[in-house]
Amino acid sequence: MAEERIYEEFGQYIVPSSWKDKVWDIKEYQRFHENTIKDKKAIENWWEKWANKLFWFKKWDRVLDDSNPPFYKWFVGAETNLSYLCLDWQIEQGRKNKLALIWEGEPYDETVKKPKELKKFTYYDLYQQTNRIAYALREKLGVKKDEILTFYMPMIPELLLYMLAVQRLGASHSIVYSGFSALALAERAIAAGSRIIVTADALYRRGKVKPLKEIVDEAVNICEKRGHNIEHVIVVNRTDRPGIPWKEIKDIWHHEFIKDIPENARIEPERLKSDSISYILYTSGTTGKPKGVQHSIGGYAVGLCATMKLIFDINEEDIYWCVADIGWVTGHSYIVYGPLMTGTTTIMYEGAPDYPWPDRWWDIIERYAVTVFYTTPTAIRMLMKFPLDLIKKHDLSTLRIIHSVGEPINPKVFHWYFKNLGREDVVATSTWWMTETGQILTGHFPGLGKIFPLKPGTNGFPLPGVKMEVLDVDGNPCNPGERGYLVISTPWPSMLTTLYQDPERYIDVYWSKFTKNKQWRFYTGDYAVKDQDGYLWVLGRADDVLKVAGHRVGTAEIESAMLMHPTVVESACIGKPHKLKGEVPCIFTVLKQGVSPSPELETELKLHLRKTIGPIVASDAIILFVETVPKTRSGKIMRRLLKAVITGQKLGDITTLEDPTAVKEAERAYQYLK
Ligand code: WTA
C-alpha cells in the first residue's frame, strides 16, 4: 500500500540554504495557524484580508454566510468578474505591456529555430484577443450569461482565450481533458447542457498528430442520438492537417469566426455575483457517473490570489511555470486564473516532457529563466530515469520554488528533485488539494516570509484559515502517526459550491460521512496521517478512485465501461502500484459463458476502454480473466481482498466472503500475470 511506501515516522528536516534565517519554530507556526481558525470571525478576518487585495465592482456585505450548511456562501453581495481580474485590472495596474503568457508548442522547430513564431502575449494582447472572441461569441452565436460551453482542446493559447472570453460574458465553461473518449465527451456535454463545443483540428503529442475534430464529430453524433443537439463546433486550426471532416453551418473555423471582428472590439465584462458559476469540471467519484464540480467566482478568486502569494510567493519579476494540462483543475487554477489575476507571467507548454529530448523541460526552464515551477511526481519519476548530465547541462539556477501536486511523493523522489533541480536551495512541498477544493490547501507558506523546515514526502501544514483533521472511522481524531480519513472542518473560499444540478449528491458524497452534532466536515476521500510534529502526510485515496499518472479516474467508471462490452458479465477494478505512474488499473474480468479468454480478447477490451473512457485509462490497464470475483454474502465486491492479492498482503477478515474459491481465482490469475 502507498502509505508504507512514503510515511516515515518522524521524517527528517531540511532547511534550504537561503531560508536558514527565516525558519518558524513549529510550535510558533502552529499558534499562528490556530489563531486564524479559532472561530468564525478569525476565519473571516483572515480571508477578508486577501479579498481586499482584489478588484471588486461591488464589495461584500458579509464575508461568509454559513446559515445553510453545507451550502456556504462567500463574499455575499459582492460582484466581480474573472476576465476583468485577469485582464482589465492588470492593465489598470500598469501591466499593459508585461508578458502575461509564454506559450511553447511541442514541435521544437516551431518555437526555437524560428523565434519569431514564439508565442508571447502581453496582458494587452490577451485583453484584445479575449474581447474579440467574446464579441464573436455574443454577436454571432448569441452566447450569454449562464450558458455553459464545453471545451475539448489541446494546450494552446486559444484555450485560455476562450476561457477568459466566456468569463467576460458571464457564461461558464466545462473543460473535458483531451485524453477522454468521444463517449465521455458526449456524456459531459449533455450533462452540462452545452450547445457549443470548442476544439482544435488535432493536437501534437510526442511528434504525432492526434486528431480531435473526428472525436468531437463522434461525440456530436452520440449527443444527437441521445436527443441533445450540439449546434456549433468551433475549431482552432492547430496542425494544418488536410482532409478534416466538415459540416457547413455547424462547424466554424476559429480564424473565420473572429476574422471580421475589429481589433478594438470590446465587451463590457458582466458584473457577476460572487457565487455565480465560473465553471464546472467533471471529476470521478465512486459511482460510474462523473460529478460536475461547480465553482464560484468571488470566493474562487480569493482562494487563488491568496495561494499564489502564500504557496508560490509570487512577485512581480517571477516567471512561473505549471506543467499541468488545463483539462484538469490544476491547469484551471494555476496556469490560467491564479497566475493572471496576480499579474504573473505564466508559461503554457503544449507537449510531452521528454519530447523530442528528455531534457525538453530543463531547456524550457533555462530559456525562460523560470523561477517558480509546479510539477507532478509522475513526471519527476519519469525524468529521473535519464542521466543526470541532462540536467547539469542546463542552468536551472533561477528556480527558487518547486512544488509538486496530484499524488503522494515518495521521500526518495523528493530528495532527487530537491537536490538535482533545486540545488538544495528551494522551497519544495507536495501541495495537497483536489478539484473540489479549487485551491491548494496544504504546504509551506514562503509568502509569509518564513517557512517551517521541509520534510520530504509530507504535505506540510494546512493553510492558515483552514482546519483539517485526520479522523478514525467513528469521526474521532486519530493520534499522531495513526492513519485515518482526511477531512476539512472549516469552509474555505475556493470551495465547490455544489455538484452541478445535484445538490443532494453534493451533501451525500462530501458532507454526510463525518458531519456530527452540527459540526460540518468535508470528507476528502483520502487517507492521511498527522505526524508527531503536526505535518500532514496524505497517503492516497480511501475510496474507489485511482490516480493514474496523477489523472483521477473512478474504478466504477472503468467497471461500467467494461460491462458495455458484449463479452463481459462482471468486473472488479483496483489500483495496482506502478513504479512510474503511481498506480494503474488492474481489472479482474469475468467473461460470458462460452467466451474464452485470449490475448486477442484482451487487446480488444483495452481498445474498448480506449473508446469508452479514453487513452488515460486504456494504455496501462491490466486485464485479468477470472471465473468469479470475491463478494460478500450480500453481493458486494470485496476489492480489499483483490488489493491484498496483488500487493501480497494478508487477507484480513474474510468471514463475510461468500465463496473462498474467488480469492484463489484471483491469485491464480495474478500469478499468471507475473
Ligand atoms: C491526490 C488534483 C498526495 C489526492 C489537484 C486527492 C495528492 C486527489 C496530492 C485529487 C498531494 C492531490 N499529495 N495526494 N500533494 N495532491 N492528491 O481532483 O488523492 O485531480 O484526493 O485534483 O489527488 O485529485 P484531483
Side-chain angles (χ1 to χ4, degrees), residues 638-649:
M638 297 178 82
R639 290 193 183 75
R640 168 175 75 76
L641 298 183
L642 294 173
K643 189 110 193 171
V645 167
I646 64 163
T647 52
Q649 289 187 330

Side-chain angles (χ1 to χ4, degrees), residues 329-330 405-408 430-435 459 526 538 541 547 552:
V329 75
T330 308
V405 62
E407 29 166 346
S430 169
T431 61
W432 178 92
W433 60 297
M434 51 200 297
T435 306
N459 299 100
D526 278 332
V538 174
R541 299 290 306 186
K547 294 290 291 197
R552 180 165 161 186

Side-chain angles (χ1 to χ4, degrees), residues 32 36 41-50 310 448 464-465:
F32 167 80
T36 63
K41 195 76 219 135
I43 294 172
E44 287 186 316
N45 285 346
W46 170 259
W47 292 114
E48 191 167 29
K49 241 183 33 207
W50 293 100
L310 288 168
L448 289 174

